[in-house]
Amino acid sequence: SILYTGYATARSITGFGFAPDFVWIKRRDGVANNVIFDKVRGASQILFVDTTGAEKQQTCNMPTDVFSIADGFKIGASGNVVNGNNMTYVAWNWKANGSGSSNTNGSISSTVSANTDAGFSIVAYTGNTTAGATVGHGLSKAPEVIITKSRAGTTGWLFGHESTTWEKYLVLNTTAAKSDQTSIWNDTAPDASVFTLGSDTFGNSANTRIAYCWHSVEGFSSIGKYNGNGSADGPFVYTGFRPAWIMYKSEDDADVWTIVDNKRDPFNSESQKQLRPDDSATETARTGGVHDIQFCSNG
């Protein structure tokens, strides 16, 4: 996670320690879309996480060489989405493997940028609305989370998670509880080479699509589920390391998605500054124990 303040002039955001291939930016102090860039689609192409909108080009006046520096990214002299004057932002960043290469492991060929050490890949492909179609993801293990979106269409962000055994799905841009539909993931769990699509156009529309895939890596990342207890002294969730970034959502209820991180709350034992992938709202500081997340050394 990187924090910065907008200057309304083109500049570089640095201090990452690596060159990111996937960047998710959200304004903190006001209403603005969650915006995603990745190196596979190209730096001039943006998607908004909290909408169903199709991919747009250069709406934020981002430079075409946004990913050209070794320790961060470049932003243009845009409006309030990524570089408004004196506005505050957070950028969440992942390293994949550059602009990607061809992958023919699935029945649908894909372009994949994969960081197998970190368990993260970016996958571009064209859907075909055919049940049982498979797409190569480039990782060494089966993904535990897959987020996919039509680049050309106006369907939402399909969110698959291993806890639903790929029989159900969530939608990242809504608060809806999980839904059951065979034609989304074809009721088939991913394996170490491919993930499987159903016939529904929500997940397999016949146009260009992008998918972001993750699996847990011991000591680095953890994907899973936990049961709430309704108590102010909530459950402990083991990860095996001190978390830096957490995204969570109730599977069973119509409730918000929430992201917390250790940069926006660096000094407190409890993280209270929260942002929502499903909404363009300003950062919320939850006080009085409501939705607090305490970062521990191992969970």
Side-chain angles (χ1 to χ4, degrees):
S1 303
I2 293 287
L3 307 182
Y4 68 93
T5 299
Y7 292 160
T9 57
R11 59 189 289 230
S12 296
I13 307 298
T14 60
F16 295 52
F18 62 91
D21 299 302
F22 174 90
V23 176
W24 180 340
I25 300 173
K26 178 67 179 77
R27 182 183 171 191
R28 302 173 57 197
D29 61 349
V31 175
N33 295 111
N34 290 261
V35 61
I36 280 181
F37 303 87
D38 68 70
K39 205 164 186 178
V40 174
R41 290 184 298 117
S44 63
Q45 306 296 326
I46 66 172
L47 285 166
F48 294 133
V49 181
D50 46 274
T51 78
T52 61
E55 182 179 83
K56 296 182 179 181
Q57 184 173 10
Q58 297 265 14
T59 300
C60 295
N61 297 320
M62 297 294 280
T64 56
D65 60 349
V66 60
F67 292 117
S68 66
I69 57 178
D71 188 37
F73 60 87
K74 293 183 179 181
I75 52 176
S78 72
N80 68 354
V81 177
V82 299
N83 196 17
N85 193 37
N86 292 322
M87 297 175 184
T88 58
Y89 298 87
V90 60
W92 302 303
N93 311 276
W94 283 260
K95 180 176 177 60
N97 190 23
S99 56
S101 58
S102 176
N103 184 302
T104 58
N105 289 340
S107 61
I108 296 175
S109 295
S110 56
T111 298
V112 176
S113 176
N115 184 342
T116 54
D117 290 338
F120 170 63
S121 68
I122 305 167
V123 183
Y125 61 97
T126 300
N128 62 10
T129 69
T130 300
T134 55
V135 180
H137 52 68
L139 299 175
S140 58
K141 295 171 59 177
E144 295 164 287
V145 160
I146 300 174
I147 304 172
T148 179
K149 172 77 173 71
S150 168
R151 297 170 62 184
T154 56
T155 53
W157 290 79
L158 177 61
F159 186 98
H161 192 286
E162 56 86 24
S163 70
T164 68
T165 64
W166 305 94
E167 296 174 353
K168 298 177 174 62
Y169 67 94
L170 290 158
V171 183
L172 188 59
N173 57 284
T174 78
T175 61
K178 62 186 177 184
S179 300
D180 190 353
Q181 194 165 333
T182 301
S183 57
I184 296 295
W185 302 110
N186 210 46
D187 281 8
T188 305
D191 62 27
S193 297
V194 300
F195 58 88
T196 302
L197 305 173
S199 59
D200 195 287
T201 55
F202 185 26
N204 191 11
S205 51
N207 51 34
T208 55
R209 300 188 64 88
I210 194 72
Y212 306 110
C213 306
W214 287 267
H215 67 69
S216 301
V217 174
E218 185 176 0
F220 175 72
S221 61
S222 180
I223 297 165
K225 67 177 180 179
Y226 64 92
N227 292 322
N229 62 14
S231 170
D233 184 15
F236 172 74
V237 182
Y238 178 78
T239 61
F241 56 90
R242 186 178 181 86
W245 183 94
I246 301 172
M247 181 168 74
Y248 64 95
K249 164 80 172 77
S250 169
E251 287 187 333
D252 305 308
D253 297 322
D255 202 355
V256 302
W257 294 83
T258 302
I259 293 176
V260 295
D261 64 65
N262 67 348
K263 290 294 180 66
R264 290 180 293 131
D265 265 320
F267 305 114
N268 299 328
S269 62
E270 294 181 340
S271 180
Q272 298 175 337
K273 296 175 182 176
Q274 303 176 10
L275 288 165
R276 292 175 52 182
D278 59 277
D279 197 287
S280 61
T282 187
E283 179 179 85
T284 301
R286 303 287 183 89
T287 58
V290 180
H291 287 273
D292 285 357
I293 297 287
Q294 183 175 2
F295 292 142
C296 304
S297 62
N298 61 347

